[in-house]
């Protein structure tokens, strides 16, 4: 887990950074360059919980706080964690900044041109600039970030994941979409056709891509293994509950209760019901060899 900002003088990148897309990365780089040239710590402010819930939205996070922390490692010096609750939701824009600056030695801030904050999202980049000017703090506002003429945003990334367009989603994310969780015991069905499988327990707030079978890699104890991941039900066994189940190639270790990270590289196929487990086995063996093509 990333180090948290404490007493260091810092340049802080402000935002949610839910998906850590290319625009987020560009903003963090901007903050980092400023911090380095002014002898400051580069920190990224981000929420530790699912902020969408406070707005009664059924929104899922592209990346959880733990996943974001892992992605931020190497991109900044530390994080400034914030919990988005009813108290913070009802803070005016000025009160939000007062609280932020009162608890940390912030010498500069960086945000996107469309950054909003405070009750009713009344605070914006212009408000932030004026506040910073009054308090002797530098404010860097990054212009709209586009890729091939399209504005990159978490909303755009989510739409791509919902369509199963992993190639474009991963391009916009700047790295393969990932999911981290603990391996839990499932039905052991993979043993019926000699394929090691593992079910992954993940946070309820975590967004999943479109249901289907994906070509994935999986990091376990620092080692990378390839295979396929089923996101959805298992109709061949008359199971409709959505699960994340990885099937690994050339792997036979016991990994129950281990924390693993799955990287999604490509959408292989839709989930379907097979007449027999033999037919399912043949298809799964084909799926897990996607990376050898």
């Amino acid at each position: 887990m990333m180090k948290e900002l404490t007493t260091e003088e810092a340049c802080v990148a402000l935002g949610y950074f839910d998906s850590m897309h290319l625009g987020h990365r560009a903003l963090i780089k901007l903050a980092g360059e400023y911090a380095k040239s002014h002898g400051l710590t580069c920190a990224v402010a981000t929420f530790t919980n699912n902020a969408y819930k406070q707005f009664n939205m059924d929104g899922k996070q592209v990346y959880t706080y733990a996943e974001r922390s892992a992605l931020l490692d190497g991109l900044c010096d530390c994080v400034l964690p914030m919990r988005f609750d009813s108290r913070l939701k009802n803070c005016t824009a000025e009160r939000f900044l007062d609280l932020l600056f009162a608890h940390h030695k912030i010498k500069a801030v960086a945000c996107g041109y469309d950054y909003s904050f405070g009750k009713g999202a009344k605070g914006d980049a212009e408000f932030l600039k004026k506040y910073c000017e009054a308090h002797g703090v530098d404010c860097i506002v990054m212009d709209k970030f586009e890729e091939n003429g399209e504005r990159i945003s978490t909303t755009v990334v989510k739409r791509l994941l919902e369509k199963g367009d992993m190639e474009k989603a991963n391009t916009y994310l700047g790295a393969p979409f990932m999911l981290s969780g603990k391996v839990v015991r499932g039905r052991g069905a993979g043993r019926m056709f000699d394929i090691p499988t593992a079910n992954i327990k993940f946070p309820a707030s975590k967004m999943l891509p479109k249901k289907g079978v994906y070509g994935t890699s999986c990091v376990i104890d620092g080692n990378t293994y390839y295979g396929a991941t089923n996101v959805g039900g298992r109709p061949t066994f008359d199971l409709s509950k959505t699960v994340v189940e990885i099937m690994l190639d050339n792997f036979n270790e016991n990994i129950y209760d281990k924390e693993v990270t799955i990287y999604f590289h490509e959408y292989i196929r839709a989930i379907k019901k097979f007449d027999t487990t033999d037919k399912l086995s043949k298809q799964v063996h084909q799926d897990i060899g996607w990376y050898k093509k």
Side-chain angles (χ1 to χ4, degrees):
M1 191 67 72
M2 282 285 291
K3 173 188 172 185
E4 294 184 5
L5 179 65
T6 52
T7 60
E8 305 95 326
E9 293 187 342
C11 174
V12 179
L14 297 172
Y16 191 167
F17 301 101
D18 176 9
S19 63
M20 287 296 297
H21 57 60
L22 291 178
H24 291 149
R25 291 167 183 264
L27 178 60
I28 295 167
K29 182 180 179 183
L30 196 62
E33 290 172 346
Y34 181 96
K36 185 176 181 180
S37 65
H38 290 76
L40 302 173
T41 291
C42 177
V44 172
T46 187
F47 296 120
T48 60
N49 61 326
N50 186 358
Y52 298 114
K53 282 190 174 182
Q54 288 296 327
F55 293 98
N56 297 316
M57 296 168 62
D58 187 28
K60 303 282 187 179
Q61 300 178 100
V62 175
Y63 289 129
T64 64
Y65 176 66
E67 290 169 338
R68 260 175 278 144
S69 293
L71 289 168
L72 284 167
D73 190 13
L75 298 180
C76 63
D77 299 313
C78 56
V79 293
L80 195 169
M82 298 183 293
R83 181 169 181 80
F84 194 88
D85 53 22
S86 57
R87 184 174 69 95
L88 191 61
K89 176 184 173 183
N90 290 310
C91 271
T92 64
E94 185 169 13
R95 177 61 177 160
F96 169 75
L97 294 175
D98 285 344
L99 289 170
L100 188 67
F101 280 75
H103 291 91
H104 301 282
K105 295 178 181 177
I106 300 174
K107 300 301 180 181
V109 295
C111 71
Y113 77 101
D114 58 349
Y115 177 58
S116 61
F117 58 97
K119 186 176 182 180
K122 294 290 178 65
D124 58 14
E126 194 59 36
F127 183 98
L128 179 62
K129 283 173 68 176
K130 291 178 180 177
Y131 182 97
C132 287
E133 285 175 11
H135 291 77
V137 173
D138 285 344
C139 180
I140 309 145
V141 178
M142 189 179 79
D143 292 333
K144 179 167 62 174
F145 188 93
E146 294 183 337
E147 181 77 6
N148 298 323
E150 183 175 11
R151 174 178 173 269
I152 296 180
S153 68
T154 295
T155 300
V156 170
V157 169
K158 284 184 172 182
R159 286 182 188 143
L160 293 171
L161 293 174
E162 287 167 354
K163 292 193 300 183
D165 188 346
M166 298 312 301
E167 182 178 359
K168 196 169 183 180
N170 289 346
T171 296
Y172 284 9
L173 287 170
F177 172 72
M178 71 171 189
L179 180 152
S180 296
K182 181 179 287 187
V183 177
V184 295
R185 291 190 180 276
R187 298 172 61 253
R191 288 195 295 271
M192 297 191 325
F193 36 84
D194 193 31
I195 297 174
T197 63
N199 290 314
I200 309 301
K201 183 180 180 181
F202 55 91
S205 63
K206 172 70 177 181
M207 181 182 182
L208 296 179
K210 175 184 176 181
K211 292 179 180 178
V213 178
Y214 292 84
T216 56
S217 57
C218 182
V219 176
I220 306 169
D221 292 335
N223 297 312
T224 299
Y225 305 90
Y226 288 88
T229 297
N230 184 92
V231 177
R234 291 160 290 180
T236 302
F237 303 102
D238 295 321
L239 298 171
S240 59
K241 180 183 177 181
T242 295
V243 297
V244 173
E245 183 178 40
I246 55 174
M247 297 154 283
L248 300 172
D249 193 19
N250 297 318
F251 185 85
N252 57 9
E253 297 177 26
N254 181 352
I255 56 173
Y256 289 124
D257 295 325
K258 284 186 179 291
E259 292 287 336
V260 303
T261 299
I262 305 170
Y263 295 90
F264 291 71
H265 299 282
E266 65 177 61
Y267 178 87
I268 296 177
R269 64 175 175 86
I271 294 171
K272 60 176 287 187
K273 183 171 184 174
F274 292 85
D275 296 333
T276 66
T277 55
D278 285 341
K279 290 181 179 179
L280 171 60
S281 174
K282 183 178 179 180
Q283 179 63 61
V284 171
H285 276 93
Q286 183 177 322
D287 294 337
I288 64 176
W290 67 274
Y291 66 99
K292 299 175 183 177
K293 297 175 183 177

